[in-house]
Amino acid sequence: MTGTLRVLGLGPGQADWITPEASRELAAASDIVGYQAYVSRLTVRSDQNVHASDNGDELARARHALELAAGGAQVAVVSGGDPGVFAMAAAVFEAIDHGPPGWRELDVAVLPGVTAMLAAAARLGAPLGADFCAINLSDNLKPWSVIEQRLALAVQADFIIALYNPASKARPEQVHKAFAVLRAAVSGDRVVAFAAAVGRKDESLHVTTLANADPGRADMRTLILIGSSGTRLVERSSGTPFVYSSRRWSGAER
Ligand code: SAH
């Protein structure tokens, strides 16, 4: 049988945020490759081989998946959220780019999924209604100076900013530095939302302002949204306010 490789995402948490296409390809897989935390979310059949890794070496994982597919396996590579957003799909193509010529001829496909930013935005209302960008705060694969520069330019351009990977046990300080960059650049009344474990049973949402935000509340399961000058709150008598960004440009920065 000719091997195939499908790169798919499990969504940010909730089971019904996995697309039917991804579920179908998971069921068809002979081999499932992924980071332990994601693979453990799956119900795997006894006839499926699971290759769970506990390290962050995405390229090694991608090469392993490609070797299995080249050997004739039906391989599913799993990520959380969407597989193309700060996840395995890029590693798969990087491995193909630098790998044996035969890997280019393999039947490889990326299946779109629900990324954390979209799930968090939906919970909050419509904060991504106007132009936005996403920045990964981890400096494992890029220098911190580049991240600070991107943050400064993104707020200057008045984008709504989604911050992925804001903090981890190994990187507790950077989110504080990131907020210092933002506070130096724009007024303190910017809307800031912390969306943690969205779609999981311990989900929490916290809406505040740039001036009042405590960056220390972010952990590796948190996505932070920084509003643009046009991001507004709709307060309610109870519960988290709705957050939205009008699609209409409101003029000068507040
Ligand atoms: N491919 C994933 C992102 C991987 S980076 C995706 O598309 O969502 C991992 C980061 O995503 C986390 O540090 C966090 O910032 C964010 N994230 C993933 N799942 C999340 C969830 N359920 N709630 C909030 N943020 C989440």
Side-chain angles (χ1 to χ4, degrees):
M1 201 176 192
T2 315
T4 60
L5 193 148
R6 299 289 176 261
V7 194
L8 55 91
L10 304 179
Q14 214 164 290
D16 56 5
W17 288 347
I18 302 179
T19 68
E21 182 187 36
S23 297
R24 200 170 60 233
E25 292 293 341
L26 268 173
S30 63
D31 292 75
I32 299 172
V33 175
Y35 186 54
Q36 175 65 43
Y38 299 132
V39 172
S40 65
R41 277 166 57 187
L42 301 173
T43 311
V44 176
R45 293 191 313 267
S46 58
D47 63 329
Q48 294 180 305
N49 306 308
V50 176
H51 311 266
S53 50
D54 57 3
N55 64 42
D57 191 347
E58 293 188 338
L59 266 179
R61 200 179 302 141
R63 282 194 290 265
H64 183 206
L66 285 156
E67 279 160 10
L68 290 167
Q74 316 296 301
V75 183
V77 175
V78 300
S79 287
D82 173 272
V85 178
F86 308 133
M88 282 301 296
V92 166
F93 291 110
E94 196 173 335
I96 293 173
D97 196 12
H98 298 103
W103 283 1
R104 292 169 188 244
E105 314 313 324
L106 286 170
D107 177 357
V108 175
V110 180
L111 317 182
V114 177
T115 187
M117 171 179 73
L118 300 184
R123 283 290 197 257
L124 291 160
L128 302 179
D131 298 347
F132 62 85
C133 67
I135 298 178
N136 188 337
L137 275 199
S138 166
D139 66 347
N140 289 343
L141 301 171
K142 62 188 170 193
W144 178 253
S145 59
V146 168
I147 298 172
E148 284 200 337
Q149 186 187 25
R150 287 184 179 164
L151 283 170
L153 293 172
V155 274
Q156 195 183 321
D158 203 19
F159 284 122
I160 300 136
I161 307 170
L163 297 177
Y164 280 79
N165 278 309
S168 69
K169 287 200 180 80
R171 297 183 297 105
E173 284 312 315
Q174 289 164 347
V175 67
H176 294 272
K177 289 200 233 167
F179 270 72
V181 171
L182 299 171
R183 284 172 173 149
V186 284
S187 68
D189 61 355
R190 282 294 160 105
V191 175
V192 170
F194 293 81
V198 177
R200 304 184 200 158
K201 49 182 186 316
D202 47 348
E203 170 175 322
S204 77
L205 297 177
H206 178 70
V207 177
T208 179
T209 60
L210 186 56
N212 291 330
D214 170 14
R217 71 180 299 132
D219 61 13
M220 60 188 296
R221 303 163 327 139
T222 307
L223 184 118
I224 305 177
L225 280 173
I226 313 290
S228 70
S229 64
T231 302
R232 299 282 178 270
L233 297 185
V234 180
E235 298 288 355
R236 300 189 281 171
S237 56
S238 66
T240 312
F242 292 126
V243 183
Y244 78 100
S245 303
S246 173
R247 298 183 60 199
R248 200 170 297 114
W249 169 242
S250 59
E253 219 244 75
R254 284 192 294 162

